[in-house]
Amino acid sequence: MNRPGVGFATRPVAGIAVALAVVLTALSGRYGFHRDELYFLVAGDHLAWGYVDQPPLTPLLVHLSSSIFGETPMGIRVISTLSSALTVVVVALIAREFNATRRAQILAGLCTAVSGFVMGVGHLASTATYDLLAWVTIALLAIKLLRTNNPRWWVALGLAAGIALENKYLVVLPLGALLIAVLITGPRSVLRTWWLPAGLAVAALIAAPNLIWQATHDWPQLTVAGGISEDDGTENRIMFIPLQILQLSPFLVPIWIAGFLNLWRSPTLRWARPIALAYPILCVVVLALGGKPYYALPLLLVLIAAGCQPTINWLTTARTSARRTVLAIGLTLTALTSALFTLPVLPASAVNFVIPVNAEQGEQIGWPELTTAVAKAWHEIPEDQRARAVLFAGNYGEAGALAKYGPALGLPHPYSGHMSFADWSRPSDMQDGPVLLVEQERNPAYERNFTNCAQVGEVDNGVGADNEEQGTAVVLCAATNAPWSQLWPSLRRYY
């Protein structure tokens, strides 16, 4: 049985993880909620085994975090911060599985902590945050399975995969890619064991509640995924390679290339060749599906872990400090650029500088201002008509913002046909009065469901940030063209 050559660099790696957590915590209260976080807050009030667009784990974790630490941006991001810190530790453990020395393990932890993707998802409470930790944990367990050839690791893999499936179905992609890679390169012996179906049974048992929910609701998540591919598939394919490089960091490219070559060529790591091959296989699958480029990034972190020992070897073969200087400059530039483009370090008024690279920055700005603009329009409705009036948001971000900030401004419960908001509530047919619409862009076909519509306001986030809601129209309509119960199916949107 192969064993890692050295012990784990526990204290230095833990120190790096803590440093990342400190940075994320210090900046977590800047800007504001992301649109997805506002959605998760409402979803947390409607806990279920599934939602139209996702399994239940992320809304549950946001609910727990907000309940314990407060319903603030900082409060709901505590578990995300801890998740990213654990990701640093797991990647360093992966490096150790590849016979990395303590110095190489420390380098793996550093590269992970300063990478743009880890910083970016660590700053927010999102499905991608917990998905990243799940993917690298599954990778660690798969690597242990391949290295030791001990089939009992299938049970641990099944446990991790089952939990991951309760967060996001994307975990089937790296698992499928790894299975194909093992069939191509071996060792196929890890597949010839009854522990494999045992692991599959564990995963299926844990994932069953959400799978049953999806099946009994006609698999809406497949509809959502189809919409993503149809609407964004071409752009995702065009930007796949550039964003793979930019979202992790251009300065880390040599390390993950070295990691791929190390796993593919090293005589002592022949058992790890499927890990190297899984990455290009995964890329082909994501491109074929039109998925988002970040879907493949967790496996790049595994390649970085494999590339840290060759990098340390490259440093030690030089007689001068030039190579160490190059590495130090590269890591420093990675940390600075990652922080600049993924964390709220700039004033909100300067966020347009980073939005072209990371649009998620802009999605944390302007929600209170949106609510204020809507509240101003709402209070223009005659008081005797408001009891029968309806506030209707065009997307889940708007609805989440109105639910969060609206009560303090005298706004009623908002409705929306977007994602799971359509399931949580719809207006009563008795609410046959005015309808206040919130629309990113005015849509005549959409407005034909209502009568006498006129724009009465426009959202200005106050800092000129070019986010999706800047310039959103606030439109007042006299009434609906039909009872809400008849209109509702046509107002529903899955993407």
Side-chain angles (χ1 to χ4, degrees):
M1 180 184 297
N2 296 320
R3 295 183 182 277
V6 297
F8 186 54
T10 304
R11 290 185 179 179
V13 171
I16 294 167
V18 169
L20 174 63
V22 168
V23 171
L24 293 176
T25 300
L27 296 173
S28 62
R30 285 176 57 84
Y31 295 0
F33 291 105
H34 187 276
R35 69 166 61 243
D36 291 354
E37 294 173 326
L38 292 166
Y39 179 48
F40 296 145
L41 283 172
V42 181
D45 292 330
H46 299 83
L47 292 176
W49 281 114
Y51 302 90
V52 163
D53 52 331
Q54 64 193 306
L57 186 58
T58 294
L60 173 62
L61 291 176
V62 169
H63 179 73
L64 290 175
S65 194
S66 64
S67 299
I68 298 170
F69 302 107
E71 198 171 287
T72 64
M74 180 177 288
I76 71 167
R77 293 168 180 169
V78 172
I79 297 179
S80 297
T81 296
L82 296 174
S83 178
S84 294
L86 286 174
T87 298
V88 170
V89 176
V90 173
V91 174
L93 285 168
I94 291 173
R96 178 174 179 262
E97 293 293 317
F98 295 140
N99 296 321
T101 62
R102 292 176 185 272
R103 290 178 65 191
Q105 295 168 26
I106 294 168
L107 179 59
L110 276 173
C111 290
T112 304
V114 301
S115 66
F117 185 59
V118 174
M119 281 191 185
V121 300
H123 172 62
L124 302 174
S126 71
T127 55
T129 310
Y130 312 119
D131 211 36
L132 174 59
L133 177 58
W135 279 38
V136 295
T137 300
I138 288 170
L140 174 63
L141 296 173
I143 289 165
K144 285 182 175 291
L145 169 66
L146 293 171
R147 179 179 60 79
T148 65
N149 204 27
N150 184 344
R152 290 179 176 84
W153 284 109
W154 278 117
V155 176
L157 264 171
L159 176 64
I163 295 172
L165 285 168
E166 289 289 3
N167 180 63
K168 212 167 185 179
Y169 290 165
L170 285 177
V171 71
V172 302
L173 297 182
L175 287 171
L178 181 58
L179 175 61
I180 294 171
V182 169
L183 290 172
I184 292 173
T185 67
R188 300 179 187 87
S189 59
V190 298
L191 305 177
R192 295 191 292 267
T193 170
W194 69 271
W195 288 99
L196 171 54
L200 291 173
V202 170
L205 182 64
I206 296 173
N210 177 249
L211 293 173
I212 293 171
W213 188 95
Q214 286 286 326
T216 55
H217 290 76
D218 298 325
W219 298 99
Q221 198 165 340
L222 295 180
T223 304
V224 174
I228 293 174
S229 179
E230 182 178 345
D231 287 5
D232 299 336
T234 300
E235 180 182 353
N236 288 340
R237 292 181 181 99
I238 292 172
M239 295 302 296
F240 186 82
I241 293 177
L243 288 180
Q244 286 276 290
I245 294 172
L246 288 173
Q247 289 179 339
L248 203 58
S249 174
F251 302 106
L252 297 179
V253 171
I255 297 180
W256 62 257
I257 290 177
F260 179 89
L261 296 175
N262 184 34
L263 295 182
W264 193 254
R265 294 177 176 177
S266 174
T268 60
L269 294 175
R270 287 189 63 84
W271 56 267
R273 293 184 76 186
I275 304 297
L277 186 58
Y279 172 70
I281 291 175
L282 177 61
C283 289
V284 170
V285 172
V286 173
L287 283 167
L289 295 175
K292 297 180 180 180
Y294 78 81
Y295 290 175
L297 285 181
L299 287 192
L300 275 185
L301 288 176
V302 176
L303 295 183
I304 282 178
C308 286
Q309 188 58 56
T311 302
I312 293 296
N313 294 341
W314 175 75
L315 291 179
T316 56
T317 56
R319 295 183 178 180
T320 67
S321 61
R323 292 184 180 181
R324 290 190 292 274
T325 301
V326 169
L327 180 62
I329 291 173
L331 290 174
T332 301
L333 290 175
T334 297
L336 292 176
T337 55
S338 294
L340 177 65
F341 285 102
T342 66
L343 299 179
V345 294
L346 294 176
S349 58
V351 76
N352 282 345
F353 174 74
V354 300
I355 284 178
V357 175
N358 181 16
E360 308 308 321
Q361 291 276 59
E363 296 308 305
Q364 302 167 62
I365 292 171
W367 299 111
E369 290 77 12
L370 179 145
T371 308
T372 299
V374 173
K376 180 180 178 182
W378 177 263
H379 290 295
E380 291 177 2
I381 299 173
E383 188 172 356
D384 61 344
Q385 298 181 32
R386 290 180 202 160
R388 295 184 296 111
V390 168
L391 176 58
F392 191 83
N395 63 55
Y396 67 74
E398 296 164 353
L402 295 173
K404 171 64 180 174
Y405 299 110
L409 299 177
L411 287 176
H413 170 77
Y415 297 95
S416 179
H418 195 207
M419 297 299 190
S420 283
F421 269 98
D423 296 320
W424 295 330
S425 62
R426 68 169 176 82
S428 163
D429 287 343
M430 300 296 292
Q431 293 176 272
D432 56 357
V435 180
L436 190 63
L437 303 176
V438 184
E439 302 180 74
Q440 275 188 355
E441 295 180 1
R442 294 197 63 179
N443 184 340
Y446 177 72
E447 291 179 11
R448 277 199 287 271
N449 294 295
F450 312 95
T451 62
N452 300 325
C453 296
Q455 184 167 337
V456 294
E458 183 175 290
V459 173
D460 181 358
N461 58 37
V463 296
D466 189 21
N467 60 6
E468 290 188 17
E469 303 300 331
Q470 178 71 343
T472 288
V474 183
V475 178
L476 182 62
C477 305
T480 60
N481 278 326
W484 283 103
S485 57
Q486 295 180 25
L487 284 180
W488 203 245
S490 64
L491 295 175
R492 175 158 208 161
R493 293 196 302 115
Y494 287 97
Y495 183 68

